[in-house]
Amino acid sequence: MSTAVAGWLAYGGSGNFNSFLTLANTSKADSLSASFSICGDGRHINCVVDGDTFWFEGEKIRIADIDTPELSPPRCEAERIKGQEAKARLLARLNAGTFSLSTGLRDEDKYGRKLRTVTRAGRSLGRTLVHEGLARRWDGERQGWCD
């Protein structure tokens, strides 16, 4: 970690420190993969809960760099629709090939979910969802999805 901080400072100390840590912690080759499904009742091994949460090898992962619409329960119909789209897109992206998981400043959230940035070929899958309008960049605060 101290190497990452020194590198960040040497880099100029500007920009998003979390993005720098993600870069520093990303493995050179994507080596993780699984066949993901939508989570249902029963065991959760490799499945998608919603647009920013999934289970991988029996561990619950919260994508650290994004926030997507809530599905349980959604606050309005627009949030439900966008939440279902984000969930389906995350499922497709996770099943599209190998990926990497990296840890930022915190290992887990208050709900015990592992906080990870998911990347493929050095690109954040969360950032892809943001560019597609299905997620927001996580800034530490929840924002509403209903107009």
Side-chain angles (χ1 to χ4, degrees):
M1 178 72 85
S2 62
T3 303
V5 172
W8 179 68
L9 291 172
Y11 187 71
S14 62
N16 185 333
F17 184 64
N18 285 337
S19 294
F20 181 83
L21 278 180
T22 297
L23 250 175
N25 288 333
T26 301
S27 61
K28 300 225 184 284
D30 298 330
S31 61
L32 305 173
S33 68
S35 178
F36 288 89
S37 62
I38 297 296
C39 295
D41 295 334
R43 285 181 71 197
H44 296 106
I45 304 296
N46 298 315
C47 62
V48 173
V49 176
D50 59 26
D52 57 27
T53 307
F54 64 98
W55 288 82
F56 177 61
E57 297 180 349
E59 188 167 66
K60 197 169 190 180
I61 309 284
R62 167 66 160 83
I63 300 178
D65 59 345
I66 62 168
D67 183 43
T68 60
E70 293 300 319
L71 287 173
S72 49
R75 292 175 196 91
C76 65
E77 184 64 8
E79 183 172 44
R80 185 191 68 74
I81 291 167
K82 181 130 347 213
Q84 288 292 348
E85 290 174 12
K87 180 178 178 178
R89 186 65 174 138
L90 178 59
L91 176 67
R93 298 301 300 152
L94 288 171
N95 281 326
T98 58
F99 58 90
S100 296
L101 296 175
S102 59
T103 307
L105 294 175
R106 292 177 40 214
D107 182 53
E108 61 183 46
D109 67 8
K110 65 183 180 180
Y111 304 107
R113 299 176 296 189
K114 296 297 182 182
L115 296 171
R116 301 291 183 264
T117 300
V118 185
T119 57
R120 175 173 295 120
R123 295 190 50 137
S124 164
L125 297 188
R127 190 166 293 154
T128 299
L129 291 173
V130 170
H131 288 300
E132 294 173 350
L134 299 173
R136 293 188 182 119
R137 189 172 173 192
W138 177 248
D139 64 2
E141 289 187 32
R142 288 206 178 275
Q143 297 176 24
W145 292 89
C146 301
D147 295 329

